[in-house]
Amino acid sequence: MKRFYRHLCGAVAILVVAAVATTLTIRVGVAHASAAETAPCAADGVTRTDEALARSLNAQLVKGMPGRISGYQASCARVIVQEVRARGLDRRAAVIAVATALVESDLNNYTQVVDDGGAGLFHQDVGPRQGHRRSMLDARRATDVFLDRMQRLYPHGSWHQPAIDEVSRRVQGSADTREHVEQDVAAQRVVDAIWPAADPT
């Protein structure tokens, strides 16, 4: 019986240590992501309209999104929507692009590689060349790169047919279905709020 209790205590101790280590790992990962620097998305910075939009959206968004959108993130979404409109594409294209940016960066224009992927709004490969890095950190240019690939993979507007998450995952080369699906509703609400006032000029 004593031997049994010794084994039981040892197993519990191992589980406790593993749980603590996992918690510390998660916290370090979160700290790393939150400490990552971001670049401005909009040339005019974060406007009062962006701040108001963020407050409005945070009262509507679901599935873990409430309170997560800042004025800065709203400005990044605004730039994406403006670029979609400047290219003459419709609201669905904007929803696909915003949904992808929500999954990849939480609408943060990261200046450095975060996690195990790329940087910027769409987690694109910034590459070793400084010129290419600056290009990918330009929110408009990064949006164009995403839209270019989407239109190559789905020519003649065929990206209207599949589900939003399917298009997003194929363009990004992602296999994580769950996370993409969860952001579709949020992206639709973000775009619906921005689209009428988005001025591509």
Side-chain angles (χ1 to χ4, degrees):
M1 183 63 73
K2 289 182 179 179
R3 181 178 298 175
F4 169 77
Y5 280 119
R6 281 200 301 271
H7 285 301
L8 179 62
C9 290
V12 170
I14 290 171
L15 289 173
V16 169
V17 169
V20 170
T22 301
T23 302
L24 288 175
T25 300
I26 292 172
R27 287 180 179 173
V28 168
V30 170
H32 172 72
S34 63
E37 295 181 359
T38 57
C41 286
D44 55 351
V46 179
T47 66
R48 290 183 179 180
T49 302
D50 295 328
E51 297 284 3
L53 175 66
R55 289 192 296 270
S56 174
L57 286 170
N58 286 331
Q60 305 173 42
L61 297 177
V62 295
K63 291 188 177 179
M65 293 300 296
R68 285 183 59 187
I69 299 292
S70 65
Y72 166 74
Q73 290 165 304
S75 74
C76 292
R78 170 166 60 88
V79 169
I80 292 173
V81 174
Q82 286 174 337
E83 197 59 20
V84 168
R85 290 189 58 161
R87 290 173 63 119
L89 300 177
D90 62 18
R91 195 175 299 206
R92 183 177 175 83
V95 174
I96 294 169
V98 169
T100 304
L102 276 168
V103 170
E104 299 294 353
S105 69
D106 273 344
L107 286 169
N108 288 292
N109 193 17
Y110 288 122
T111 60
Q112 61 197 54
V113 173
V114 180
D115 300 324
D116 59 349
L121 282 172
F122 295 94
H123 238 196
Q124 291 157 336
D125 181 9
V126 295
R129 293 181 290 109
Q130 286 302 313
H132 182 66
R133 176 180 290 269
R134 285 193 298 271
S135 178
M136 290 302 94
L137 296 180
D138 180 319
R140 292 187 182 279
R141 173 61 182 149
T143 301
D144 277 334
V145 169
F146 175 83
L147 295 173
D148 286 346
R149 179 167 170 77
M150 182 184 77
Q151 291 186 288
R152 283 197 304 273
L153 292 172
Y154 295 93
H156 312 299
S158 57
W159 40 269
H160 283 92
Q161 278 72 53
I164 290 170
D165 71 286
E166 180 182 329
V167 177
S168 178
R169 285 185 292 113
R170 186 180 177 196
V171 173
Q172 294 295 102
S174 171
D176 189 346
T177 306
R178 176 179 50 79
E179 190 174 9
H180 280 268
V181 171
E182 288 178 355
Q183 301 298 7
D184 288 356
V185 173
Q188 185 70 61
R189 294 190 180 187
V190 169
V191 172
D192 285 346
I194 296 174
W195 187 269
D199 182 2
T201 59

